[in-house]
PDB file of all heavy atoms in Angstrom:
ATOM      1  N   LEU A 242      81.693 138.181  98.177  1.00 94.00           N
ATOM      2  CA  LEU A 242      80.506 138.032  99.133  1.00 94.00           C
ATOM      3  C   LEU A 242      80.887 136.917 100.267  1.00 94.00           C
ATOM      4  O   LEU A 242      80.601 137.267 101.468  1.00 94.00           O
ATOM      5  CB  LEU A 242      79.221 137.557  98.229  1.00 94.00           C
ATOM      6  CG  LEU A 242      78.470 138.631  97.668  1.00 94.00           C
ATOM      7  CD1 LEU A 242      77.522 137.861  96.704  1.00 94.00           C
ATOM      8  CD2 LEU A 242      77.848 139.522  98.487  1.00 94.00           C
ATOM      9  N   ILE A 243      81.350 135.879  99.922  1.00 96.00           N
ATOM     10  CA  ILE A 243      81.640 134.758 100.782  1.00 96.00           C
ATOM     11  C   ILE A 243      82.694 135.248 101.824  1.00 96.00           C
ATOM     12  O   ILE A 243      82.494 135.014 103.011  1.00 96.00           O
ATOM     13  CB  ILE A 243      82.040 133.519 100.092  1.00 96.00           C
ATOM     14  CG1 ILE A 243      80.857 132.863  99.335  1.00 96.00           C
ATOM     15  CG2 ILE A 243      82.725 132.484 101.081  1.00 96.00           C
ATOM     16  CD1 ILE A 243      81.259 131.842  98.336  1.00 96.00           C
ATOM     17  N   THR A 244      83.644 135.956 101.366  1.00 97.00           N
ATOM     18  CA  THR A 244      84.770 136.504 102.207  1.00 97.00           C
ATOM     19  C   THR A 244      84.204 137.434 103.138  1.00 97.00           C
ATOM     20  O   THR A 244      84.489 137.378 104.498  1.00 97.00           O
ATOM     21  CB  THR A 244      85.894 137.104 101.309  1.00 97.00           C
ATOM     22  OG1 THR A 244      86.429 136.091 100.521  1.00 97.00           O
ATOM     23  CG2 THR A 244      87.025 137.652 102.183  1.00 97.00           C
ATOM     24  N   ALA A 245      83.345 138.430 102.694  1.00 96.00           N
ATOM     25  CA  ALA A 245      82.762 139.378 103.607  1.00 96.00           C
ATOM     26  C   ALA A 245      81.985 138.728 104.799  1.00 96.00           C
ATOM     27  O   ALA A 245      82.033 138.950 105.832  1.00 96.00           O
ATOM     28  CB  ALA A 245      81.937 140.168 102.905  1.00 96.00           C
ATOM     29  N   GLU A 246      81.137 137.702 104.305  1.00 94.00           N
ATOM     30  CA  GLU A 246      80.322 136.958 105.330  1.00 94.00           C
ATOM     31  C   GLU A 246      81.152 136.123 106.295  1.00 94.00           C
ATOM     32  O   GLU A 246      80.823 136.019 107.504  1.00 94.00           O
ATOM     33  CB  GLU A 246      79.290 136.117 104.703  1.00 94.00           C
ATOM     34  CG  GLU A 246      78.327 137.138 103.889  1.00 94.00           C
ATOM     35  CD  GLU A 246      77.070 136.300 103.374  1.00 94.00           C
ATOM     36  OE1 GLU A 246      76.866 135.162 103.673  1.00 94.00           O
ATOM     37  OE2 GLU A 246      76.523 136.862 102.370  1.00 94.00           O
ATOM     38  N   PHE A 247      82.259 135.569 105.733  1.00 97.00           N
ATOM     39  CA  PHE A 247      83.077 134.754 106.594  1.00 97.00           C
ATOM     40  C   PHE A 247      83.691 135.666 107.737  1.00 97.00           C
ATOM     41  O   PHE A 247      83.682 135.391 108.838  1.00 97.00           O
ATOM     42  CB  PHE A 247      84.271 134.030 105.800  1.00 97.00           C
ATOM     43  CG  PHE A 247      85.194 133.505 106.672  1.00 97.00           C
ATOM     44  CD1 PHE A 247      85.041 132.278 107.121  1.00 97.00           C
ATOM     45  CD2 PHE A 247      86.495 134.039 106.756  1.00 97.00           C
ATOM     46  CE1 PHE A 247      85.968 131.500 108.011  1.00 97.00           C
ATOM     47  CE2 PHE A 247      87.562 133.327 107.563  1.00 97.00           C
ATOM     48  CZ  PHE A 247      87.197 132.144 108.093  1.00 97.00           C
ATOM     49  N   TYR A 248      84.184 136.859 107.317  1.00 97.00           N
ATOM     50  CA  TYR A 248      84.780 137.728 108.364  1.00 97.00           C
ATOM     51  C   TYR A 248      83.786 138.185 109.225  1.00 97.00           C
ATOM     52  O   TYR A 248      83.989 138.505 110.412  1.00 97.00           O
ATOM     53  CB  TYR A 248      85.519 138.785 107.544  1.00 97.00           C
ATOM     54  CG  TYR A 248      86.884 138.490 107.048  1.00 97.00           C
ATOM     55  CD1 TYR A 248      87.198 138.870 105.797  1.00 97.00           C
ATOM     56  CD2 TYR A 248      87.776 137.612 107.780  1.00 97.00           C
ATOM     57  CE1 TYR A 248      88.475 138.472 105.168  1.00 97.00           C
ATOM     58  CE2 TYR A 248      88.981 137.358 107.140  1.00 97.00           C
ATOM     59  CZ  TYR A 248      89.216 137.842 105.909  1.00 97.00           C
ATOM     60  OH  TYR A 248      90.581 137.416 105.326  1.00 97.00           O
ATOM     61  N   SER A 249      82.603 138.663 108.820  1.00 94.00           N
ATOM     62  CA  SER A 249      81.541 139.089 109.671  1.00 94.00           C
ATOM     63  C   SER A 249      80.931 138.037 110.466  1.00 94.00           C
ATOM     64  O   SER A 249      80.756 138.194 111.755  1.00 94.00           O
ATOM     65  CB  SER A 249      80.650 139.996 109.008  1.00 94.00           C
ATOM     66  OG  SER A 249      79.787 139.149 108.074  1.00 94.00           O
ATOM     67  N   ASN A 250      80.637 136.939 110.005  1.00 91.00           N
ATOM     68  CA  ASN A 250      79.910 135.783 110.754  1.00 91.00           C
ATOM     69  C   ASN A 250      80.664 134.781 111.422  1.00 91.00           C
ATOM     70  O   ASN A 250      80.427 134.156 112.462  1.00 91.00           O
ATOM     71  CB  ASN A 250      78.870 135.083 109.845  1.00 91.00           C
ATOM     72  CG  ASN A 250      77.874 136.159 109.231  1.00 91.00           C
ATOM     73  OD1 ASN A 250      77.683 137.219 109.825  1.00 91.00           O
ATOM     74  ND2 ASN A 250      77.210 135.790 108.235  1.00 91.00           N
ATOM     75  N   ALA A 251      81.912 134.458 110.874  1.00 95.00           N
ATOM     76  CA  ALA A 251      82.633 133.232 111.390  1.00 95.00           C
ATOM     77  C   ALA A 251      83.731 133.848 112.422  1.00 95.00           C
ATOM     78  O   ALA A 251      84.061 133.254 113.401  1.00 95.00           O
ATOM     79  CB  ALA A 251      83.325 132.391 110.315  1.00 95.00           C
ATOM     80  N   THR A 252      84.435 134.861 111.967  1.00 96.00           N
ATOM     81  CA  THR A 252      85.638 135.218 112.706  1.00 96.00           C
ATOM     82  C   THR A 252      85.204 136.670 113.516  1.00 96.00           C
ATOM     83  O   THR A 252      86.061 136.998 114.398  1.00 96.00           O
ATOM     84  CB  THR A 252      86.803 135.675 111.880  1.00 96.00           C
ATOM     85  OG1 THR A 252      86.592 136.702 110.971  1.00 96.00           O
ATOM     86  CG2 THR A 252      87.205 134.422 111.126  1.00 96.00           C
ATOM     87  N   GLY A 253      84.225 137.263 113.054  1.00 95.00           N
ATOM     88  CA  GLY A 253      83.864 138.547 113.846  1.00 95.00           C
ATOM     89  C   GLY A 253      84.734 139.790 113.447  1.00 95.00           C
ATOM     90  O   GLY A 253      84.679 140.656 114.102  1.00 95.00           O
ATOM     91  N   GLU A 254      85.616 139.558 112.371  1.00 97.00           N
ATOM     92  CA  GLU A 254      86.440 140.873 111.998  1.00 97.00           C
ATOM     93  C   GLU A 254      85.715 141.619 111.007  1.00 97.00           C
ATOM     94  O   GLU A 254      85.719 141.572 109.787  1.00 97.00           O
ATOM     95  CB  GLU A 254      87.660 140.070 111.265  1.00 97.00           C
ATOM     96  CG  GLU A 254      88.368 139.251 112.096  1.00 97.00           C
ATOM     97  CD  GLU A 254      89.565 138.554 111.408  1.00 97.00           C
ATOM     98  OE1 GLU A 254      90.688 139.117 111.204  1.00 97.00           O
ATOM     99  OE2 GLU A 254      89.253 137.535 110.825  1.00 97.00           O
ATOM    100  N   LEU A 255      84.871 142.584 111.630  1.00 97.00           N
ATOM    101  CA  LEU A 255      83.934 143.442 111.032  1.00 97.00           C
ATOM    102  C   LEU A 255      84.639 144.277 110.084  1.00 97.00           C
ATOM    103  O   LEU A 255      84.245 144.855 109.022  1.00 97.00           O
ATOM    104  CB  LEU A 255      83.095 144.068 111.918  1.00 97.00           C
ATOM    105  CG  LEU A 255      82.035 143.153 112.881  1.00 97.00           C
ATOM    106  CD1 LEU A 255      81.303 143.987 113.600  1.00 97.00           C
ATOM    107  CD2 LEU A 255      81.256 142.345 111.898  1.00 97.00           C
ATOM    108  N   ASP A 256      85.762 144.873 110.490  1.00 97.00           N
ATOM    109  CA  ASP A 256      86.602 145.898 109.605  1.00 97.00           C
ATOM    110  C   ASP A 256      86.953 145.225 108.297  1.00 97.00           C
ATOM    111  O   ASP A 256      86.879 145.810 107.288  1.00 97.00           O
ATOM    112  CB  ASP A 256      87.772 146.313 110.335  1.00 97.00           C
ATOM    113  CG  ASP A 256      87.278 147.380 111.485  1.00 97.00           C
ATOM    114  OD1 ASP A 256      86.241 147.909 111.352  1.00 97.00           O
ATOM    115  OD2 ASP A 256      88.218 147.615 112.385  1.00 97.00           O
ATOM    116  N   LYS A 257      87.439 143.998 108.448  1.00 98.00           N
ATOM    117  CA  LYS A 257      87.730 143.134 107.304  1.00 98.00           C
ATOM    118  C   LYS A 257      86.629 142.943 106.390  1.00 98.00           C
ATOM    119  O   LYS A 257      86.671 143.059 105.136  1.00 98.00           O
ATOM    120  CB  LYS A 257      88.492 141.760 107.582  1.00 98.00           C
ATOM    121  CG  LYS A 257      89.864 141.952 108.039  1.00 98.00           C
ATOM    122  CD  LYS A 257      90.526 140.658 108.271  1.00 98.00           C
ATOM    123  CE  LYS A 257      91.994 140.657 108.691  1.00 98.00           C
ATOM    124  NZ  LYS A 257      92.531 139.307 109.012  1.00 98.00           N
ATOM    125  N   ALA A 258      85.590 142.546 107.017  1.00 97.00           N
ATOM    126  CA  ALA A 258      84.300 142.429 106.300  1.00 97.00           C
ATOM    127  C   ALA A 258      83.909 143.540 105.539  1.00 97.00           C
ATOM    128  O   ALA A 258      83.469 143.578 104.409  1.00 97.00           O
ATOM    129  CB  ALA A 258      83.167 141.727 107.167  1.00 97.00           C
ATOM    130  N   ALA A 259      83.904 144.810 106.313  1.00 97.00           N
ATOM    131  CA  ALA A 259      83.527 146.063 105.590  1.00 97.00           C
ATOM    132  C   ALA A 259      84.250 146.318 104.439  1.00 97.00           C
ATOM    133  O   ALA A 259      83.925 146.863 103.282  1.00 97.00           O
ATOM    134  CB  ALA A 259      83.566 147.153 106.653  1.00 97.00           C
ATOM    135  N   HIS A 260      85.650 146.193 104.614  1.00 97.00           N
ATOM    136  CA  HIS A 260      86.651 146.396 103.594  1.00 97.00           C
ATOM    137  C   HIS A 260      86.405 145.689 102.336  1.00 97.00           C
ATOM    138  O   HIS A 260      86.514 145.987 101.246  1.00 97.00           O
ATOM    139  CB  HIS A 260      88.094 146.403 103.950  1.00 97.00           C
ATOM    140  CG  HIS A 260      88.524 147.436 104.953  1.00 97.00           C
ATOM    141  ND1 HIS A 260      88.537 148.672 104.711  1.00 97.00           N
ATOM    142  CD2 HIS A 260      89.070 147.299 106.179  1.00 97.00           C
ATOM    143  CE1 HIS A 260      88.847 149.426 105.773  1.00 97.00           C
ATOM    144  NE2 HIS A 260      89.251 148.626 106.681  1.00 97.00           N
ATOM    145  N   THR A 261      85.989 144.278 102.607  1.00 97.00           N
ATOM    146  CA  THR A 261      85.662 143.454 101.583  1.00 97.00           C
ATOM    147  C   THR A 261      84.394 143.917 100.719  1.00 97.00           C
ATOM    148  O   THR A 261      84.459 143.806  99.414  1.00 97.00           O
ATOM    149  CB  THR A 261      85.527 142.056 102.068  1.00 97.00           C
ATOM    150  OG1 THR A 261      86.670 141.628 102.791  1.00 97.00           O
ATOM    151  CG2 THR A 261      85.323 141.061 100.945  1.00 97.00           C
ATOM    152  N   CYS A 262      83.474 144.297 101.468  1.00 97.00           N
ATOM    153  CA  CYS A 262      82.239 144.818 100.862  1.00 97.00           C
ATOM    154  C   CYS A 262      82.508 146.095 100.147  1.00 97.00           C
ATOM    155  O   CYS A 262      81.855 146.295  99.018  1.00 97.00           O
ATOM    156  CB  CYS A 262      81.161 145.123 101.950  1.00 97.00           C
ATOM    157  SG  CYS A 262      80.320 143.577 102.562  1.00 97.00           S
ATOM    158  N   GLU A 263      83.299 146.879 100.618  1.00 97.00           N
ATOM    159  CA  GLU A 263      83.707 148.130  99.854  1.00 97.00           C
ATOM    160  C   GLU A 263      84.266 147.739  98.489  1.00 97.00           C
ATOM    161  O   GLU A 263      84.009 148.462  97.581  1.00 97.00           O
ATOM    162  CB  GLU A 263      84.554 149.179 100.770  1.00 97.00           C
ATOM    163  CG  GLU A 263      83.771 149.729 101.911  1.00 97.00           C
ATOM    164  CD  GLU A 263      84.634 150.309 103.059  1.00 97.00           C
ATOM    165  OE1 GLU A 263      85.923 150.270 102.807  1.00 97.00           O
ATOM    166  OE2 GLU A 263      83.921 150.750 103.978  1.00 97.00           O
ATOM    167  N   ALA A 264      85.178 146.819  98.550  1.00 97.00           N
ATOM    168  CA  ALA A 264      85.938 146.345  97.407  1.00 97.00           C
ATOM    169  C   ALA A 264      84.876 145.694  96.415  1.00 97.00           C
ATOM    170  O   ALA A 264      84.907 145.950  95.193  1.00 97.00           O
ATOM    171  CB  ALA A 264      86.898 145.301  97.627  1.00 97.00           C
ATOM    172  N   LEU A 265      83.952 145.015  97.064  1.00 96.00           N
ATOM    173  CA  LEU A 265      82.873 144.365  96.159  1.00 96.00           C
ATOM    174  C   LEU A 265      82.032 145.558  95.441  1.00 96.00           C
ATOM    175  O   LEU A 265      81.700 145.449  94.167  1.00 96.00           O
ATOM    176  CB  LEU A 265      81.831 143.483  97.024  1.00 96.00           C
ATOM    177  CG  LEU A 265      80.937 142.784  96.364  1.00 96.00           C
ATOM    178  CD1 LEU A 265      81.385 141.870  95.320  1.00 96.00           C
ATOM    179  CD2 LEU A 265      80.041 142.014  97.351  1.00 96.00           C
ATOM    180  N   ILE A 266      81.628 146.584  96.220  1.00 97.00           N
ATOM    181  CA  ILE A 266      80.803 147.645  95.591  1.00 97.00           C
ATOM    182  C   ILE A 266      81.715 148.459  94.580  1.00 97.00           C
ATOM    183  O   ILE A 266      81.183 148.885  93.569  1.00 97.00           O
ATOM    184  CB  ILE A 266      80.405 148.532  96.832  1.00 97.00           C
ATOM    185  CG1 ILE A 266      79.397 147.971  97.698  1.00 97.00           C
ATOM    186  CG2 ILE A 266      79.881 149.999  96.250  1.00 97.00           C
ATOM    187  CD1 ILE A 266      79.045 148.623  98.930  1.00 97.00           C
ATOM    188  N   GLU A 267      82.987 148.619  94.809  1.00 97.00           N
ATOM    189  CA  GLU A 267      83.884 149.378  93.812  1.00 97.00           C
ATOM    190  C   GLU A 267      83.851 148.542  92.508  1.00 97.00           C
ATOM    191  O   GLU A 267      83.798 149.185  91.477  1.00 97.00           O
ATOM    192  CB  GLU A 267      85.100 149.472  94.383  1.00 97.00           C
ATOM    193  CG  GLU A 267      86.111 150.360  93.508  1.00 97.00           C
ATOM    194  CD  GLU A 267      87.348 150.598  94.192  1.00 97.00           C
ATOM    195  OE1 GLU A 267      87.382 150.973  95.337  1.00 97.00           O
ATOM    196  OE2 GLU A 267      88.364 150.538  93.480  1.00 97.00           O
ATOM    197  N   SER A 268      83.939 147.216  92.612  1.00 97.00           N
ATOM    198  CA  SER A 268      83.987 146.356  91.409  1.00 97.00           C
ATOM    199  C   SER A 268      82.762 146.128  90.761  1.00 97.00           C
ATOM    200  O   SER A 268      82.509 145.939  89.543  1.00 97.00           O
ATOM    201  CB  SER A 268      84.629 145.050  91.733  1.00 97.00           C
ATOM    202  OG  SER A 268      86.055 145.205  92.117  1.00 97.00           O
ATOM    203  N   TYR A 269      81.560 146.060  91.614  1.00 96.00           N
ATOM    204  CA  TYR A 269      80.318 145.672  91.237  1.00 96.00           C
ATOM    205  C   TYR A 269      79.309 146.590  91.726  1.00 96.00           C
ATOM    206  O   TYR A 269      78.554 146.246  92.729  1.00 96.00           O
ATOM    207  CB  TYR A 269      79.999 144.316  91.577  1.00 96.00           C
ATOM    208  CG  TYR A 269      80.856 143.152  91.202  1.00 96.00           C
ATOM    209  CD1 TYR A 269      82.012 142.826  91.815  1.00 96.00           C
ATOM    210  CD2 TYR A 269      80.838 142.697  89.763  1.00 96.00           C
ATOM    211  CE1 TYR A 269      82.919 141.907  91.416  1.00 96.00           C
ATOM    212  CE2 TYR A 269      81.711 141.675  89.373  1.00 96.00           C
ATOM    213  CZ  TYR A 269      82.723 141.388  90.163  1.00 96.00           C
ATOM    214  OH  TYR A 269      83.682 140.488  89.783  1.00 96.00           O
ATOM    215  N   PRO A 270      79.289 147.953  91.328  1.00 97.00           N
ATOM    216  CA  PRO A 270      78.418 148.962  91.890  1.00 97.00           C
ATOM    217  C   PRO A 270      76.902 148.684  91.776  1.00 97.00           C
ATOM    218  O   PRO A 270      76.134 149.335  92.509  1.00 97.00           O
ATOM    219  CB  PRO A 270      78.857 150.211  91.139  1.00 97.00           C
ATOM    220  CG  PRO A 270      79.413 149.665  89.903  1.00 97.00           C
ATOM    221  CD  PRO A 270      80.072 148.434  90.102  1.00 97.00           C
ATOM    222  N   ARG A 271      76.403 147.696  91.031  1.00 96.00           N
ATOM    223  CA  ARG A 271      74.981 147.451  90.919  1.00 96.00           C
ATOM    224  C   ARG A 271      74.659 146.183  91.618  1.00 96.00           C
ATOM    225  O   ARG A 271      73.648 145.593  91.510  1.00 96.00           O
ATOM    226  CB  ARG A 271      74.638 147.332  89.403  1.00 96.00           C
ATOM    227  CG  ARG A 271      74.925 148.428  88.569  1.00 96.00           C
ATOM    228  CD  ARG A 271      73.833 149.497  88.509  1.00 96.00           C
ATOM    229  NE  ARG A 271      72.599 148.984  88.342  1.00 96.00           N
ATOM    230  CZ  ARG A 271      71.445 149.544  88.937  1.00 96.00           C
ATOM    231  NH1 ARG A 271      71.612 150.654  89.636  1.00 96.00           N
ATOM    232  NH2 ARG A 271      70.265 149.110  88.651  1.00 96.00           N
ATOM    233  N   ASP A 272      75.566 145.675  92.533  1.00 94.00           N
ATOM    234  CA  ASP A 272      75.334 144.383  93.230  1.00 94.00           C
ATOM    235  C   ASP A 272      74.658 144.738  94.441  1.00 94.00           C
ATOM    236  O   ASP A 272      75.258 145.343  95.514  1.00 94.00           O
ATOM    237  CB  ASP A 272      76.685 143.787  93.486  1.00 94.00           C
ATOM    238  CG  ASP A 272      76.486 142.418  94.178  1.00 94.00           C
ATOM    239  OD1 ASP A 272      75.564 142.193  95.011  1.00 94.00           O
ATOM    240  OD2 ASP A 272      77.317 141.561  93.965  1.00 94.00           O
ATOM    241  N   ALA A 273      73.295 144.494  94.634  1.00 93.00           N
ATOM    242  CA  ALA A 273      72.488 144.774  95.671  1.00 93.00           C
ATOM    243  C   ALA A 273      72.974 144.109  97.045  1.00 93.00           C
ATOM    244  O   ALA A 273      72.899 144.607  98.217  1.00 93.00           O
ATOM    245  CB  ALA A 273      71.049 144.414  95.337  1.00 93.00           C
TER     246      ALA A 273
END
């Protein structure tokens, strides 16, 4: 979660942020 937000909010690397979220969903599919 922190990594996704860092990439989206601090560096603006939205593709990296999206990939991190996709990995998060894959590992934690019930994580709202």
Side-chain angles (χ1 to χ4, degrees):
L242 279 169
I243 290 167
T244 300
E246 290 183 25
F247 174 74
Y248 285 133
S249 65
N250 298 342
T252 69
E254 297 173 90
L255 298 179
D256 288 336
K257 284 185 180 181
H260 291 305
T261 304
C262 285
E263 290 163 358
L265 183 59
I266 289 169
E267 188 173 315
S268 296
Y269 304 94
R271 303 273 315 144
D272 187 325

